[in-house]
Amino acid sequence: MSFKRRLLTLAAGAAMVPAALVAIPAGTASAHGYVSSPASRQAQCAQNTVSCGSIKWEPQSVEGPKGLMSCNGGVGRFADLNDDSKGWKVHSLGRTTTFRWTLTARHRTSTWEYFVDGAKVASFNDGGAQPGATVTHSVNLQQSGRHKILARWNVYDTANAFYACIDANIS
């Protein structure tokens, strides 16, 4: 093969590389986490406290679009998490409680939000920081009595968030 022909072949191959790279599917975000203390509904599933289906194997995977108010984050296969009659352990909590997130894969964070029966009671702005393996927040729940708490971790650089619900008797 002549030098000119080799050069043309090499140039044609190099020109195809960018197109090939665009065609390769992008990987999914590796952000995963859940409230481990007090034990969220998915943590209770993982601990066999409540029978819940496939969430038992991946409590960190309740990921859905930002802004939802459901325990399952809109993920159909985790619908058990939305069932209030399932027999969830109700935690006795004080008005100010520390929540601990366990992160199995860290991802830059926009905000952490906490809701009691749908009303926002706290928000922590991380401004895009990457968290460690655990994150804790001290939250004034502003209520007393039996309530459902929704904790939401808003990922900084995706349209998704992670969701966890905790059943509580606040005194």
Side-chain angles (χ1 to χ4, degrees):
M1 188 188 299
S2 73
F3 175 73
K4 189 174 184 180
R5 188 170 178 104
R6 277 191 230 158
L7 189 58
L8 284 173
T9 302
L10 184 62
M16 294 175 68
V17 169
L21 290 175
V22 169
I24 296 172
T28 58
S30 61
H32 294 87
Y34 64 101
V35 175
S36 54
S37 178
S40 60
R41 289 182 174 186
Q42 62 256 52
Q44 292 181 44
C45 294
Q47 298 163 356
N48 287 320
T49 304
V50 177
S51 177
C52 314
S54 67
I55 190 62
K56 170 187 174 140
W57 308 112
E58 45 186 323
Q60 72 280 0
S61 296
V62 183
E63 178 182 14
K66 290 177 183 169
L68 299 178
M69 296 300 289
S70 60
C71 296
N72 75 335
V75 181
R77 65 189 175 110
F78 300 149
D80 284 344
L81 297 173
N82 290 340
D83 186 348
D84 292 336
S85 67
K86 200 125 177 89
W88 305 108
K89 179 182 179 190
V90 177
H91 301 282
S92 295
L93 305 178
R95 281 197 190 207
T96 299
T97 298
T98 298
F99 293 89
R100 183 178 71 234
W101 285 80
T102 297
L103 308 181
T104 59
R106 302 170 343 179
H107 203 65
R108 293 176 62 200
T109 300
S110 175
T111 56
W112 308 86
E113 299 173 306
Y114 295 85
F115 302 84
V116 175
D117 297 332
K120 187 189 293 185
V121 296
S123 181
F124 301 88
N125 187 341
D126 275 5
Q130 185 174 14
T134 61
V135 172
T136 59
H137 299 115
S138 181
V139 176
N140 181 338
L141 299 171
Q142 306 172 8
Q143 311 279 336
S144 61
R146 174 80 164 78
H147 299 281
K148 181 168 54 177
I149 301 164
L150 172 69
R152 186 166 63 200
W153 169 24
N154 294 301
V155 178
Y156 180 77
D157 50 4
T158 75
N160 286 344
F162 287 85
Y163 296 86
C165 282
I166 300 98
D167 297 273
N169 187 16
I170 305 166
S171 60

